[in-house]
Amino acid sequence: MATQGDRMKNTKRKRIAPGYVYLAALAGLIVLVVGLVFVIKRYTPTKEHMSLEDYFELTEENESAVIINGEFKKISDTEDYVHAIYLNDATYLQIDFLKKELDDGYVFDSTDGVLRYVTDKDVVSASVHSPKYTIGKKRDAIETDVVVSQDGTYFVNLDFVKKFTDLTYKHYGNPNRVVIETAGFTIEKASLKKDVPLRRFGGVKSKILKDASKGDKVGILEDYGKWSYVITDDGVLACVQNRKMEKIGKKTTKASLEERTYDHLQMDKKVVLGWHQVTSRAANSTVEKVLADSDLNVISPTWFFLNDNDGNIQSYASSDYVSYCHDRNVQVWGLVSNLENKNVDTTSVLNVTSSRDNLVNSLISAAISYNLDGINVDMEALSASAKDGYIEFIRELSIKCEKNDIILSVDNYVPTSSTAFYNRSVQADYADYVVIMAYDEHYSGSDEPGSVASIGFVEEGVKNTLKEVPADQIILGMPFYARVWAVGENQLSSKAYGMDEMEAYLEANDATINWIDKVGQNYGEFTDGDITYMAWIEDAKSLGKKLDVMKSNKLAGAAFWKLGFETKDIWSLIDKYTK
């Protein structure tokens, strides 16, 4: 049994001083208050606003923000120009920005101060600091200048642009911004259920960009779950809670311009074209020889080439030549090249409007004067800086060719990343035929020996061209020549031979010849001292493989470089594939 003393001891151990109770209660209250403050601070919406000037990062006095199809086109660190300006109550887009974001068809020449655009029927032309422009021979104007310059940068009036590029736009002030929608752009619309702040990011702590009202309409750009990224009718891009808006259906920007149609002048049979190398007027006399055993329906003499930086051409054209061919039902497509005169800056000729105009007009004049059926463009070794001028040259030449019933064909390398700027898809719109030069896989400057045109090279060239050009516009160019490679310890050189010459050369040197299925060619080889001579041979068998590619892909026809290099038996083979 516990004694009284024991009970007193137990009682003493359970007693708590009043001061400790007070401190514990105070600590609990502090924790509660801090927690409550934290919760309130964390979940109470902020009322802080962010100015649209800061959001759009506008720094220049008349600079304008640009929103295209719901996307704010923020200026990147690599751009040294503003995207748009607002001047004289009109919105102007910087030319490179316009080309990149809306329509690459606009080509501006700062040397002559001329803006060009080509529709499916006409060439449109405007000059800097003028409201006037021409469409073909028709004159027109807008209210303010078509093209203006500011600090050395050129801008194009959106009122002018919308006449040729299918879009709608609205300008808003304070700050300047333009909202552009292209034809076919679709967005889901919603109506706000109550007055609501539109925030820069999803979350109640994000700054407010605009205080919107009940009934305001927004377009939903992206649904984040509880929040959505939206655009207001006046071009503010912000976030709003999904529960505070109601979807009301989709809106699509309607087309306002007529759909373009590109007409093509084409033969009603397979094209069988032979390039005839003519390096002087006297060389025209060989036409009788090159046509003697052939079954061509088109001959393309190398008659024209760029001769100066003003776009003038040297011509070896001959009326007698054309008459001789026409009497034998052979069309004549005069070829124009840029390779003969090494002093000519092709990029300058193509990029400067006056020089390009001179070139186009000279070719059309020659075609009419000599009764040509077509023009064959062979512009090679171009730099990427010529891309705008080159494709504009094709567009402008095609318009005049069509008006004069002249067939336009354009020669192209097999597609590679480095030749993408030749823009074969645009060529297909404007030119009647696109020719693949499916040869020079290995050429005189190659760093290793190999075939001029292996079957894989040809197949790949056709496959990739078909991604940009319809089959009924493609002519497959094939070689009548091959190369003999001399390979030694410190030597690599080659020489081109026609079919007859190659056969005789290899036979005279007792070369070993074997068929290589992988390349689709016979391969010949012999050794003389320390040098090994190697040849991937073009003959009837290898050409048949290439003609199979043409036939199986249902291409428009065949072309051959060059006439005079072939053996006589080749034509019966070609006839078999092209009839």
Side-chain angles (χ1 to χ4, degrees):
M1 177 179 292
T3 65
Q4 183 176 0
D6 291 332
R7 287 195 297 270
M8 289 178 66
K9 288 179 182 178
N10 289 337
T11 302
K12 196 179 254 188
R13 283 197 297 268
K14 293 178 181 177
R15 186 177 297 153
I16 300 174
Y20 287 108
V21 173
Y22 173 77
L23 290 174
L26 181 61
L29 181 61
I30 291 172
V31 170
L32 180 63
V33 170
V34 170
L36 185 60
V37 170
F38 174 78
V39 170
I40 293 173
K41 186 174 182 180
R42 179 173 183 180
Y43 293 103
T44 300
T46 182
K47 295 182 179 180
E48 185 179 0
H49 284 67
M50 179 181 189
S51 72
L52 292 180
E53 286 86 350
D54 290 339
Y55 173 76
F56 287 121
E57 298 180 5
L58 302 179
T59 58
E60 303 297 328
E61 183 177 352
N62 63 347
E63 184 179 357
S64 175
V66 183
I67 300 100
I68 300 177
N69 293 338
E71 181 182 356
F72 169 39
K73 299 297 181 177
K74 186 175 180 179
I75 294 177
S76 71
D77 294 336
T78 60
E79 294 169 316
D80 58 358
Y81 55 80
V82 299
H83 290 166
I85 58 174
Y86 189 67
L87 183 68
N88 299 327
D89 295 327
T91 297
Y92 290 81
L93 297 185
Q94 198 277 340
I95 181 65
D96 289 338
F97 178 77
L98 167 63
K99 289 169 64 63
K100 176 184 174 183
E101 300 292 342
L102 292 173
D103 191 335
D104 192 43
Y106 296 90
V107 174
F108 182 69
D109 164 23
S110 59
T111 300
D112 285 353
V114 175
L115 178 72
R116 283 282 171 85
Y117 188 87
V118 183
T119 69
D120 53 344
K121 299 291 187 294
D122 290 298
V123 176
V124 182
S125 188
S127 297
V128 175
H129 301 307
S130 171
K132 300 177 181 179
Y133 63 95
T134 59
I135 306 179
K137 295 182 179 180
K138 178 185 174 183
R139 297 182 181 276
D140 209 334
I142 56 176
E143 291 186 4
T144 53
D145 292 345
V146 174
V147 182
V148 297
S149 63
Q150 179 172 291
D151 300 327
T153 302
Y154 294 90
F155 298 81
V156 184
N157 194 321
L158 255 180
D159 286 333
F160 175 81
V161 171
K162 71 177 294 187
K163 291 179 178 294
F164 309 105
T165 303
D166 214 341
L167 57 81
T168 62
Y169 82 91
K170 290 183 179 179
H171 168 266
Y172 300 94
N174 300 317
N176 288 323
R177 58 196 182 277
V178 61
V179 181
I180 301 170
E181 292 181 357
T182 58
F185 171 66
T186 299
I187 191 169
E188 188 164 30
K189 299 289 286 187
S191 177
L192 299 180
K193 296 179 181 179
K194 56 172 68 176
D195 294 352
V196 60
L198 303 181
R199 301 184 180 276
R200 185 179 185 189
F201 303 113
V204 296
K205 291 302 181 183
S206 181
K207 293 180 180 180
I208 299 169
L209 292 176
K210 179 178 180 178
D211 291 302
S213 302
K214 179 181 178 180
D216 284 355
K217 305 297 187 297
V218 295
I220 301 174
L221 299 169
E222 191 172 355
D223 190 333
Y224 298 145
K226 292 184 178 180
W227 293 74
S228 280
Y229 183 53
V230 301
I231 181 170
T232 64
D233 287 344
D234 61 349
V236 176
L237 298 119
C239 291
V240 64
Q241 290 170 301
N242 285 334
R243 61 185 174 85
K244 295 182 178 179
M245 62 182 181
E246 180 180 12
K247 295 179 180 178
I248 56 176
K250 292 185 177 180
K251 173 204 162 190
T252 299
T253 303
K254 295 181 180 179
S256 58
L257 302 179
E258 290 185 10
E259 185 176 354
R260 290 178 186 167
T261 56
Y262 297 92
D263 300 322
H264 297 105
L265 296 171
Q266 293 187 319
M267 299 176 67
D268 58 2
K269 61 185 76 173
K270 290 283 188 188
V271 175
V272 185
L273 180 151
W275 283 292
H276 182 200
Q277 188 172 29
V278 176
T279 56
S280 66
R281 290 191 181 276
N284 284 316
S285 62
T286 59
V287 64
E288 183 176 351
K289 180 180 179 182
V290 299
L291 286 182
D293 299 307
S294 74
D295 197 23
L296 299 173
N297 52 32
V298 178
I299 190 168
S300 182
T302 59
W303 273 348
F304 310 113
F305 61 87
L306 285 176
N307 207 32
D308 61 33
N309 291 334
D310 295 325
N312 292 306
I313 58 173
Q314 174 68 48
S315 171
Y316 297 135
S318 163
S319 297
D320 290 341
Y321 184 110
V322 175
S323 297
Y324 182 86
C325 295
H326 284 175
D327 287 344
R328 286 151 185 79
N329 295 316
V330 176
Q331 291 192 14
V332 181
W333 297 358
L335 180 145
V336 57
S337 169
N338 65 320
L339 299 178
E340 284 72 15
N341 189 332
K342 305 302 180 184
N343 295 320
V344 174
D345 180 357
T346 305
T347 297
S348 175
V349 173
L350 297 175
N351 285 347
V352 176
T353 307
S354 54
S355 299
R356 189 176 65 245
D357 282 348
N358 190 26
L359 174 59
V360 169
N361 292 333
S362 296
L363 290 171
I364 294 298
S365 177
I368 294 171
S369 297
Y370 291 98
N371 195 25
L372 301 184
D373 305 281
I375 294 172
N376 178 238
V377 174
D378 184 35
M379 296 286 179
E380 300 187 33
L382 296 179
S383 68
S385 59
K387 68 183 184 71
D388 279 353
Y390 172 73
I391 205 63
E392 186 68 6
F393 165 63
I394 299 300
R395 291 188 187 108
E396 293 174 0
L397 180 60
S398 76
I399 295 297
K400 292 201 172 185
C401 280
E402 184 176 348
K403 293 181 186 301
N404 289 280
D405 293 324
I406 299 167
I407 293 173
L408 177 62
S409 59
V410 184
D411 302 338
N412 284 270
Y413 301 112
V414 299
T416 60
S417 59
S418 63
T419 63
F421 70 85
Y422 276 78
N423 212 331
R424 295 164 186 81
S425 59
V426 175
Q427 287 185 36
D429 285 340
Y430 289 91
D432 301 305
Y433 292 105
V434 173
V435 186
I436 307 172
M437 297 184 292
Y439 42 81
D440 279 350
E441 177 183 6
H442 294 85
Y443 53 96
S444 61
S446 292
D447 56 7
E448 62 179 8
S451 172
V452 165
S454 67
I455 191 62
F457 176 78
V458 175
E459 290 171 338
E460 189 72 8
V462 170
K463 174 186 173 182
N464 289 330
T465 302
L466 282 167
K467 295 175 182 177
E468 300 181 82
V469 184
D472 64 359
Q473 285 182 257
I474 297 175
I475 297 173
L476 179 58
M478 293 163 271
F480 279 162
Y481 71 96
R483 288 187 173 277
V484 174
W485 293 86
V487 183
E489 185 176 351
N490 295 305
Q491 178 179 342
L492 177 65
S493 61
S494 70
K495 182 180 178 181
Y497 288 84
M499 291 179 172
D500 270 338
E501 289 180 306
M502 178 68 79
E503 183 179 354
Y505 178 81
L506 294 177
E507 184 178 344
N509 287 281
D510 198 24
T512 301
I513 297 175
N514 295 293
W515 176 261
I516 301 178
D517 197 56
K518 183 179 179 180
V519 295
Q521 290 174 289
N522 278 307
Y523 172 75
E525 182 179 307
F526 67 91
T527 301
D528 185 2
D530 295 331
I531 305 299
T532 299
Y533 294 87
M534 311 160 74
W536 287 261
I537 304 165
E538 288 296 347
D539 52 22
K541 190 174 181 180
S542 68
L543 193 62
K545 292 285 186 181
K546 296 173 177 62
L547 288 164
D548 279 334
V549 176
M550 179 206 73
K551 185 175 181 179
S552 63
N553 285 284
K554 299 180 180 179
L555 304 186
F560 306 96
W561 177 265
K562 64 179 181 172
L563 294 178
F565 272 8
E566 75 278 15
T567 51
K568 292 181 180 180
D569 62 320
I570 287 299
W571 291 109
S572 59
L573 173 71
I574 293 170
D575 186 61
K576 172 185 171 184
Y577 280 92
T578 55
K579 290 300 184 189

